[in-house]
């Protein structure tokens, strides 16, 4: 019988990938890129190596995904900030403030 992809399995895959990515983000923030290893990420995510490599080709790939995730978070915060201020100076002040907060948090 062929494998069928359902919404439930897609959602579970998304959650599993997100869990691995979040573990990597936390480790990169705590230890830095050089000191973080794939086995550390696997252990922190409580998953197996096969599952890790099903979603990511290696440390470089998950690091790039982590940076992309961070960039999306920053962009979302900035867009939300822009919609809350009609004054250009207020927008700029708030954008810089939000950017500094996001970068120091990660």
């Amino acid at each position: 019988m062929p494998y069928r992809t359902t919404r439930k399995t897609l959602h579970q895959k998304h959650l599993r990938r997100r869990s691995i990515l979040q573990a990597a983000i936390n480790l990169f923030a705590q230890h830095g890129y050089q000191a973080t290893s794939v086995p550390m990420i696997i252990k922190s995510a409580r998953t197996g190596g096969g599952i890790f490599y099903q979603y990511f080709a290696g440390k470089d790939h998950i690091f790039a995904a982590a940076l992309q995730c961070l960039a999306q978070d920053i962009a979302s915060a900035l867009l939300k900030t822009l919609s809350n201020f009609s004054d250009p100076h207020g927008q700029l002040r708030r954008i810089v403030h939000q950017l500094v907060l996001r970068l120091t948090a990660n």
Side-chain angles (χ1 to χ4, degrees):
M1 177 180 257
Y3 178 73
R4 233 181 61 190
T5 302
T6 64
R7 285 185 198 167
K8 183 178 178 181
T9 57
L10 287 175
H11 181 67
Q12 289 171 337
K13 285 182 175 187
H14 172 75
L15 292 177
R16 188 175 301 126
R17 182 184 188 279
R18 183 69 188 162
S19 172
I20 297 167
L21 182 57
Q22 190 59 52
I25 289 169
N26 292 340
L27 289 169
F28 288 137
Q30 185 177 10
H31 302 288
Y33 178 80
Q34 291 296 330
T36 300
S37 66
V38 170
M40 288 171 67
I41 296 168
I42 291 168
K43 182 177 179 183
S44 179
R46 297 181 181 166
T47 192
I51 298 295
F52 175 88
Y53 288 106
Q54 182 178 351
Y55 295 100
F56 303 100
K59 187 168 106 170
D60 291 345
H61 188 247
I62 198 167
F63 186 70
L67 291 177
Q68 183 178 18
C69 186
L70 177 62
Q72 287 172 345
D73 288 348
I74 290 170
S76 293
L78 294 179
L79 288 174
K80 184 177 177 183
T81 298
L82 286 176
S83 66
N84 291 335
F85 289 92
S86 59
D87 169 36
H89 289 96
Q91 285 178 342
L92 185 58
R93 270 194 310 274
R94 190 67 179 159
I95 285 172
V96 170
H97 178 74
Q98 285 294 320
L99 187 57
V100 169
L101 285 177
R102 296 282 177 178
L103 291 175
T104 57
N106 293 304

